[in-house]
Protein backbone atom coordinates (compact mmCIF):
# COMPACT_ATOMS: atom_id res chain seq x y z
CA UNK A 1 0.00 0.00 0.00
CA UNK A 2 2.72 2.61 0.67
CA UNK A 3 3.91 2.19 -2.89
CA UNK A 4 0.54 3.09 -4.42
CA UNK A 5 0.91 6.92 -4.30
CA UNK A 6 4.35 6.73 -5.90
CA UNK A 7 3.05 4.44 -8.60
CA UNK A 8 0.16 6.78 -9.38
CA UNK A 9 2.50 9.78 -9.50
CA UNK A 10 4.83 7.92 -11.90
CA UNK A 11 1.97 7.02 -14.20
CA UNK A 12 0.71 10.62 -14.23
CA UNK A 13 4.12 11.96 -15.20
CA UNK A 14 4.46 9.35 -17.96
CA UNK A 15 1.12 10.23 -19.55
CA UNK A 16 1.88 13.94 -19.39
CA UNK A 17 5.07 13.44 -21.43
CA UNK A 18 3.29 11.51 -24.23
CA UNK A 19 2.34 13.97 -27.12
CA UNK A 20 -1.33 14.31 -27.73
CA UNK A 21 -2.59 13.18 -31.13
CA UNK A 22 -4.35 15.89 -33.12
CA UNK A 23 -7.67 14.89 -34.74
CA UNK A 24 -7.53 14.41 -38.50
CA UNK A 25 -9.60 16.93 -40.40
CA UNK A 26 -11.18 15.81 -43.68
CA UNK A 27 -10.42 19.16 -45.35
CA UNK A 28 -6.69 18.81 -44.71
CA UNK A 29 -6.62 15.40 -46.36
CA UNK A 30 -8.45 16.66 -49.43
CA UNK A 31 -6.09 19.63 -49.71
CA UNK A 32 -3.03 17.37 -49.60
CA UNK A 33 -4.49 15.12 -52.28
CA UNK A 34 -5.32 18.11 -54.50
CA UNK A 35 -1.80 19.52 -54.19
CA UNK A 36 -0.27 16.22 -55.25
CA UNK A 37 -2.59 15.73 -58.28
CA UNK A 38 -0.96 17.11 -61.48
CA UNK A 39 -2.97 19.47 -63.66
CA UNK A 40 -4.06 18.00 -67.01
CA UNK A 41 -2.05 19.29 -69.99
CA UNK A 42 -4.06 21.38 -72.46
CA UNK A 43 -3.13 22.67 -75.94
CA UNK A 44 -1.48 26.08 -76.02
CA UNK A 45 -3.42 29.06 -77.38
CA UNK A 46 -1.47 28.95 -80.63
CA UNK A 47 -2.93 29.60 -84.09
CA UNK A 48 -0.89 28.97 -87.25
CA UNK A 49 -2.84 31.69 -89.12
CA UNK A 50 -2.92 34.41 -86.41
CA UNK A 51 -1.03 37.61 -87.26
CA UNK A 52 1.75 38.49 -84.77
CA UNK A 53 1.38 35.08 -83.11
CA UNK A 54 3.65 34.61 -80.07
CA UNK A 55 5.89 31.51 -80.47
CA UNK A 56 4.51 28.47 -78.72
CA UNK A 57 7.63 27.98 -76.60
CA UNK A 58 7.05 31.40 -75.03
CA UNK A 59 3.43 30.50 -74.34
CA UNK A 60 4.62 27.41 -72.47
CA UNK A 61 6.91 29.44 -70.23
CA UNK A 62 4.35 32.20 -69.59
CA UNK A 63 1.46 29.99 -68.45
CA UNK A 64 0.89 28.62 -64.93
CA UNK A 65 1.26 25.10 -66.28
CA UNK A 66 3.08 23.69 -69.28
CA UNK A 67 0.75 23.49 -72.29
CA UNK A 68 1.13 21.35 -75.39
CA UNK A 69 2.59 22.83 -78.58
CA UNK A 70 1.87 21.51 -82.09
CA UNK A 71 4.43 19.05 -83.37
CA UNK A 72 7.12 20.51 -85.63
CA UNK A 73 9.50 19.03 -88.15
CA UNK A 74 13.22 18.90 -87.48
CA UNK A 75 15.13 22.18 -87.32
CA UNK A 76 17.84 20.50 -89.43
CA UNK A 77 15.49 20.46 -92.43
CA UNK A 78 14.08 23.36 -94.50
CA UNK A 79 10.56 24.31 -93.44
CA UNK A 80 7.47 23.00 -95.17
CA UNK A 81 5.73 25.50 -97.52
CA UNK A 82 3.31 27.88 -95.79
CA UNK A 83 -0.34 27.98 -96.86
CA UNK A 84 -1.46 31.08 -98.73
CA UNK A 85 -4.73 32.47 -97.39
CA UNK A 86 -6.93 35.41 -98.30
CA UNK A 87 -5.67 38.07 -100.72
CA UNK A 88 -7.49 41.44 -100.68
CA UNK A 89 -6.96 43.69 -103.69
CA UNK A 90 -7.42 47.48 -103.71
CA UNK A 91 -7.65 48.52 -107.34
CA UNK A 92 -7.86 52.24 -106.54
CA UNK A 93 -4.45 52.28 -104.82
CA UNK A 94 -2.76 49.41 -106.66
CA UNK A 95 -2.23 47.44 -103.45
CA UNK A 96 -2.99 43.95 -102.18
CA UNK A 97 -2.96 42.51 -98.65
CA UNK A 98 -1.68 38.92 -98.52
CA UNK A 99 -2.42 36.58 -95.60
CA UNK A 100 -0.85 33.18 -94.93
CA UNK A 101 -0.62 30.39 -92.33
CA UNK A 102 2.61 29.09 -90.80
CA UNK A 103 3.79 25.54 -91.57
CA UNK A 104 4.42 22.85 -88.98
CA UNK A 105 8.14 23.61 -89.03
CA UNK A 106 10.61 25.90 -87.25
CA UNK A 107 10.58 29.22 -89.12
CA UNK A 108 12.86 32.24 -88.66
CA UNK A 109 11.55 34.53 -91.40
CA UNK A 110 9.11 34.92 -94.31
CA UNK A 111 9.05 36.85 -97.59
CA UNK A 112 6.84 37.16 -100.68
CA UNK A 113 7.66 36.44 -104.33
CA UNK A 114 5.66 38.16 -107.08
CA UNK A 115 5.58 37.10 -110.75
CA UNK A 116 4.20 39.29 -113.56
CA UNK A 117 4.09 37.21 -116.71
CA UNK A 118 6.92 34.76 -117.33
CA UNK A 119 9.77 36.94 -116.09
CA UNK A 120 11.85 36.67 -112.95
CA UNK A 121 10.01 37.14 -109.63
CA UNK A 122 10.23 40.22 -107.47
CA UNK A 123 11.34 39.44 -103.89
CA UNK A 124 9.77 41.42 -101.06
CA UNK A 125 11.27 42.34 -97.68
CA UNK A 126 11.82 39.75 -94.94
CA UNK A 127 9.44 39.40 -91.96
CA UNK A 128 10.02 37.70 -88.60
CA UNK A 129 8.34 34.44 -87.57
CA UNK A 130 5.34 36.13 -85.89
CA UNK A 131 4.10 37.89 -89.06
CA UNK A 132 1.24 36.38 -91.06
CA UNK A 133 0.21 39.36 -93.19
CA UNK A 134 2.03 41.60 -95.68
CA UNK A 135 1.23 44.21 -98.33
CA UNK A 136 2.05 44.35 -102.03
CA UNK A 137 2.35 47.77 -103.68
CA UNK A 138 2.69 49.11 -107.21
CA UNK A 139 0.24 46.70 -108.84
CA UNK A 140 -0.98 47.71 -112.30
CA UNK A 141 -4.72 48.05 -112.97
CA UNK A 142 -5.89 45.09 -115.01
CA UNK A 143 -2.65 43.19 -114.34
CA UNK A 144 -2.37 39.45 -113.64
CA UNK A 145 0.19 38.20 -111.09
CA UNK A 146 1.25 35.07 -109.21
CA UNK A 147 2.24 35.52 -105.55
CA UNK A 148 4.01 32.96 -103.33
CA UNK A 149 4.97 33.05 -99.65
CA UNK A 150 8.32 31.53 -98.63
CA UNK A 151 9.41 30.36 -95.15
CA UNK A 152 13.07 29.99 -94.16
CA UNK A 153 15.24 28.79 -91.27
CA UNK A 154 18.93 27.99 -90.77
CA UNK A 155 18.59 24.81 -92.85
CA UNK A 156 17.14 26.49 -95.96
CA UNK A 157 13.90 27.80 -97.40
CA UNK A 158 10.60 26.29 -98.45
CA UNK A 159 9.71 25.49 -102.04
CA UNK A 160 7.84 28.08 -104.14
CA UNK A 161 6.77 26.65 -107.53
CA UNK A 162 5.54 30.03 -108.85
CA UNK A 163 3.46 30.18 -112.04
CA UNK A 164 4.04 26.44 -112.63
CA UNK A 165 2.05 25.51 -109.50
CA UNK A 166 -1.17 23.52 -109.99
CA UNK A 167 -4.57 24.68 -108.81
CA UNK A 168 -3.71 28.36 -108.42
CA UNK A 169 -7.26 29.47 -109.16
CA UNK A 170 -8.72 27.21 -106.47
CA UNK A 171 -11.28 25.64 -108.82
CA UNK A 172 -11.36 22.42 -106.81
CA UNK A 173 -11.58 24.06 -103.38
CA UNK A 174 -9.49 26.29 -101.12
CA UNK A 175 -5.87 26.81 -101.98
CA UNK A 176 -3.63 24.65 -99.78
CA UNK A 177 -0.30 25.63 -101.34
CA UNK A 178 2.06 28.58 -100.95
CA UNK A 179 1.11 30.27 -104.26
CA UNK A 180 -1.96 31.89 -105.75
CA UNK A 181 -3.08 33.90 -108.75
CA UNK A 182 -3.76 37.61 -108.29
CA UNK A 183 -5.81 39.71 -110.73
CA UNK A 184 -6.13 43.48 -110.31
CA UNK A 185 -9.38 44.90 -111.76
CA UNK A 186 -9.28 48.16 -113.73
CA UNK A 187 -9.71 51.33 -111.74
CA UNK A 188 -13.20 52.88 -111.73
CA UNK A 189 -11.82 56.12 -113.26
CA UNK A 190 -10.26 54.12 -116.06
CA UNK A 191 -13.60 52.52 -116.84
CA UNK A 192 -15.27 55.92 -116.79
CA UNK A 193 -12.70 57.35 -119.17
CA UNK A 194 -13.11 54.37 -121.47
CA UNK A 195 -16.89 54.79 -121.49
CA UNK A 196 -16.57 58.52 -122.23
CA UNK A 197 -14.12 57.76 -125.04
CA UNK A 198 -16.39 55.17 -126.62
CA UNK A 199 -19.38 57.51 -126.35
CA UNK A 200 -17.43 60.37 -127.93
CA UNK A 201 -16.30 58.15 -130.79
CA UNK A 202 -19.85 57.00 -131.48
CA UNK A 203 -21.11 60.60 -131.41
CA UNK A 204 -18.35 61.69 -133.78
CA UNK A 205 -19.19 58.87 -136.20
CA UNK A 206 -22.87 59.79 -136.10
CA UNK A 207 -22.12 63.46 -136.80
CA UNK A 208 -19.78 62.50 -139.62
CA UNK A 209 -22.43 60.30 -141.19
CA UNK A 210 -25.01 63.08 -141.02
CA UNK A 211 -22.65 65.67 -142.51
CA UNK A 212 -21.68 63.27 -145.29
CA UNK A 213 -25.34 62.58 -146.02
CA UNK A 214 -26.28 66.28 -146.27
CA UNK A 215 -23.23 67.01 -148.42
CA UNK A 216 -24.26 64.31 -150.86
CA UNK A 217 -27.80 65.68 -151.02
CA UNK A 218 -26.53 69.18 -151.65
CA UNK A 219 -24.15 68.04 -154.36
CA UNK A 220 -26.30 65.60 -156.27
CA UNK A 221 -29.67 66.87 -155.30
CA UNK A 222 -32.73 64.81 -154.52
CA UNK A 223 -35.23 63.47 -157.06
CA UNK A 224 -38.33 65.65 -157.17
CA UNK A 225 -41.75 64.24 -157.58
CA UNK A 226 -43.80 65.54 -160.50
CA UNK A 227 -46.88 67.58 -159.86
CA UNK A 228 -50.10 65.57 -160.15
CA UNK A 229 -52.15 66.40 -163.22
CA UNK A 230 -55.72 67.51 -162.64
CA UNK A 231 -57.90 66.14 -165.46
CA UNK A 232 -61.03 67.97 -166.52
CA UNK A 233 -59.79 71.45 -165.66
Amino acid sequence: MPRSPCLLWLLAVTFSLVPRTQPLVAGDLEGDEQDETPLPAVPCDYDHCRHLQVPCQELQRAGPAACLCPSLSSALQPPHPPRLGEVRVEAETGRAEVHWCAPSSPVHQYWLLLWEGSGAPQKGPSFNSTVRRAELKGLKPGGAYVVCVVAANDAGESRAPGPQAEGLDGAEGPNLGPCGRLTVPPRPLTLLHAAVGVGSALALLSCSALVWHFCLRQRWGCPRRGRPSHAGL
Side-chain angles (χ1 to χ4, degrees), residues 51 86-90 93-100 111-114 123-125 127 131-139 147 182:
H51 183 52
E86 183 181 8
V87 179
R88 297 180 181 178
V89 180
E90 298 180 1
T93 59
R95 300 180 180 180
E97 186 179 79
V98 182
H99 181 267
W100 66 86
W111 63 78
L112 297 178
L113 295 177
L114 184 68
K123 182 179 178 180
F127 307 100
V131 176
R132 303 289 187 273
R133 187 169 61 239
E135 189 179 63
L136 295 173
K137 299 180 181 179
L139 302 179
V147 58
L182 172 63

Side-chain angles (χ1 to χ4, degrees), residues 73-134:
S73 61
S74 174
L76 301 178
Q77 299 177 354
H80 298 305
R83 179 170 64 86
L84 186 68
E86 183 181 8
V87 179
R88 297 180 181 178
V89 180
E90 298 180 1
E92 295 81 2
T93 59
R95 300 180 180 180
E97 186 179 79
V98 182
H99 181 267
W100 66 86
C101 298
S104 297
S105 306
V107 177
H108 295 166
Q109 58 182 347
Y110 298 97
W111 63 78
L112 297 178
L113 295 177
L114 184 68
W115 280 265
E116 184 180 7
S118 58
Q122 303 177 23
K123 182 179 178 180
S126 300
F127 307 100
N128 60 46
S129 61
T130 66
V131 176
R132 303 289 187 273
R133 187 169 61 239

Side-chain angles (χ1 to χ4, degrees), residues 31-193:
D32 295 340
E33 293 179 355
Q34 291 179 357
D35 294 339
E36 295 177 358
T37 303
L39 295 176
V42 296
C44 298
D45 185 19
Y46 180 85
D47 189 348
H48 288 274
C49 304
R50 181 184 298 161
H51 183 52
L52 301 181
Q53 172 63 64
V54 178
C56 194
Q57 291 75 11
E58 296 184 14
L59 295 177
Q60 284 183 323
R61 294 191 293 266
C67 55
L68 298 178
C69 287
S71 59
L72 300 177
S73 61
S74 174
L76 301 178
Q77 299 177 354
H80 298 305
R83 179 170 64 86
L84 186 68
E86 183 181 8
V87 179
R88 297 180 181 178
V89 180
E90 298 180 1
E92 295 81 2
T93 59
R95 300 180 180 180
E97 186 179 79
V98 182
H99 181 267
W100 66 86
C101 298
S104 297
S105 306
V107 177
H108 295 166
Q109 58 182 347
Y110 298 97
W111 63 78
L112 297 178
L113 295 177
L114 184 68
W115 280 265
E116 184 180 7
S118 58
Q122 303 177 23
K123 182 179 178 180
S126 300
F127 307 100
N128 60 46
S129 61
T130 66
V131 176
R132 303 289 187 273
R133 187 169 61 239
E135 189 179 63
L136 295 173
K137 299 180 181 179
L139 302 179
K140 301 177 183 178
Y145 303 89
V146 173
V147 58
C148 296
V149 56
V150 180
N153 57 18
D154 292 338
E157 61 187 53
S158 62
R159 186 176 63 91
Q164 291 75 26
E166 298 180 357
L168 293 180
D169 295 330
E172 300 179 356
N175 182 22
L176 300 179
C179 302
R181 199 174 301 279
L182 172 63
T183 302
V184 182
R187 295 178 182 176
L189 292 179
T190 304
L191 295 177
L192 179 60
H193 294 163

